[in-house]
Amino acid sequence: MAFTLNSYPVVYRAKYTESGGWTEEFIEKPHKTPQEEAQLPKTEATALSDSRNFYNDMPLVNYTTQYGLGCFEGLKALPQKNGGFAIFRPGENGKRFHNSMKGLFMPPFPADIFVKAAVEMIRRNINLGFCPSYKAEWEKDSFMNADSIYIRPFSYSEGGIGVNISKEPWVIMIGTPVSAYFSGGSSDALVTDRIRATPKGTGWIKADSNYVIAALAKHEAVEQGYMECIFLDAVDRKYVEEGSSSNIFFYLKSGELITPELGDTILPGITRLSLMELARDRGVKVVERKIAIDEIFSEAKECFVSGTAAGAVPISSITHNGKKATFTFPGELSSELQKTLKGMQYGLIPDTKGWLTKI
Ligand SMILES: *Cc1c(COP(=O)(O)O)cnc(C)c1O
C-alpha cells in the first residue's frame, strides 16, 4: 500500500500552556538503522514501527479522541534531482494550520515555528538515514510512482470529558514515507448524496471531524468500483464542491478552467492554489465559481482532482444519479499541469516560484 503509516523515528512535539506559551521538543523514538530495519522479520518490523506511534505521557480521554476536536495538515518533503531535500510551500500549510486552530478556538500555532519545526524534524530523520533517495526512472512517467516523505502535523487536546474547546493542546509532527497515492485501477468518480460540509460549519478547516463523512462516502464509492467520491453543496444539492480529500477542477469546452469558489464549505487546497497559478502561466483562463453538476455533463471536457498526496489526478468519468459524464482521459491540461507541478517539486525543472524550502 502506498499510503501506510511507518513513522520515522524523530518526532516534533510542542505543547501550549496558558502560563508559558509554546514549548518545543524533538523526540527520538526507538529505532535501528534503516538497513537493519529492512532486514527484520515482518512481525518485529511492525512491532518496532508501532512502538514509534505510542506515547505514554499523553491523555487518552480528551476532546480530540472523544469529540473529534482537532485539526491536521499534510505536506511533503521531496528528494531533489540535484541532491538534498525540499519541502513544498510549507509556509502555506503553516498559515492554514494557524487558521484551522483559530477556527477551532485553540491557541493558534505560529506559522513560522511550523515551518522551522517541519524542516528540523525532517533534517533529523535524514541524518539518521531515514529518507528515500531520488531515482531518475521517476522522470519517465512524471513522478507518478515517485517516493517522498509525507509530513503530518496535527493538534491533540489536553485531557477532559465534557464537550469543550481545547485551551492547552499539543502540536505534533511526524514523517512517514509515501509513494503513489491513487495506485492504478479505477479513475472514475461517483457523486455521493452524503453531505460533507454545511454553511457555518467546519468544511473550510482541515478539521478531524470532517473526515468521518468523507471516509464513509469514499468507502461506499470504492466498494462500487470507483476511485473517488464527489460531494455536492448542502443547500441547493447541485453545485460540485470537492472530493473526499481533494479539490476539483473542470476544463470546459470553452477553454476555461473552473474550480469551485472557496467559502466556508470547501477546503482551501495548496495544490489547488498552485495549479491555478500554473494554469494561468500557460495562458489558460482560470475561474473560481460555483459549477452545477448539470453543467459538467454538457460542458466539461476534462476533470481532475488535486491534493498534496497525488498532485493533479485525472478523472475519467463522473456518475450522478445513474448517468455517467465522461472526459478526455488523461486530459492534456491535467497531464501538463501534473508534469510541471511534479517537475518543480522534485527539482527536475527550476523552481521559478520560490515554492521549495530547502532542508
Ligand atoms: C487536504 C485537503 C485538500 C487538498 O489540500 P492540499 O493542500 O492541496 O493538500 C482538499 N480537500 C480536502 C477536503 C482536504 O482535506
Side-chain angles (χ1 to χ4, degrees), residues 72-75 88 92-93 96 150 152 196 203 205-207 210-211 214 228 231 241-248 265-275 306-311:
F72 65 96
E73 272 304 322
L75 62 166
F88 186 70
E92 291 295 325
N93 292 88
R96 189 171 64 189
Y150 185 79
R152 168 54 59 87
R196 190 192 89 91
I205 299 175
K206 226 169 162 68
N210 295 341
Y211 297 87
E228 178 61 307
F231 290 98
E241 297 221 304
E242 57 179 317
S244 63
S245 56
S246 52
N247 295 111
I248 194 160
T265 59
I266 294 180
L267 200 286
I270 293 153
T271 318
R272 174 186 180 277
L273 192 67
S274 308
L275 292 173
S306 74
T308 293

Side-chain angles (χ1 to χ4, degrees), residues 34-174:
Q35 296 72 22
E36 284 164 354
E37 291 192 11
Q39 302 300 318
L40 289 175
K42 186 98 193 344
T43 47
E44 277 177 55
T46 306
L48 181 57
S49 158
D50 284 351
S51 74
R52 300 207 277 257
N53 195 28
F54 279 78
Y55 293 77
N56 60 13
D57 59 351
M58 297 178 81
L60 180 63
V61 178
N62 69 10
Y63 311 123
T64 305
T65 57
Q66 306 305 299
Y67 308 116
L69 180 76
C71 55
F72 65 96
E73 272 304 322
L75 62 166
K76 276 180 171 178
L78 307 113
Q80 299 292 293
K81 184 175 173 65
N82 298 321
F85 281 78
I87 307 183
F88 186 70
R89 308 193 77 173
E92 291 295 325
N93 292 88
K95 267 195 267 173
R96 189 171 64 189
F97 193 60
H98 179 275
N99 293 342
S100 290
M101 291 188 83
K102 218 167 139 184
L104 296 175
F105 296 166
M106 290 181 202
F109 194 61
D112 57 331
I113 300 184
F114 179 102
V115 174
K116 280 191 212 129
V119 168
E120 185 59 22
M121 185 270 285
I122 294 299
R123 178 182 293 139
R124 289 182 187 221
N125 281 300
I126 291 171
N127 288 345
L128 293 175
F130 286 85
C131 56
S133 44
Y134 189 93
K135 295 195 182 69
E137 67 196 55
W138 293 341
E139 294 165 18
K140 281 185 234 153
D141 58 358
S142 301
F143 300 93
M144 279 269 288
N145 295 296
D147 301 329
S148 59
I149 305 171
Y150 185 79
I151 304 170
R152 168 54 59 87
F154 60 99
S155 72
Y156 191 87
S157 116
E158 71 274 28
I161 184 85
V163 172
N164 209 340
I165 60 165
S166 170
K167 293 186 174 141
E168 298 194 317
W170 281 269
V171 165
I172 299 175
M173 279 189 204
I174 65 120

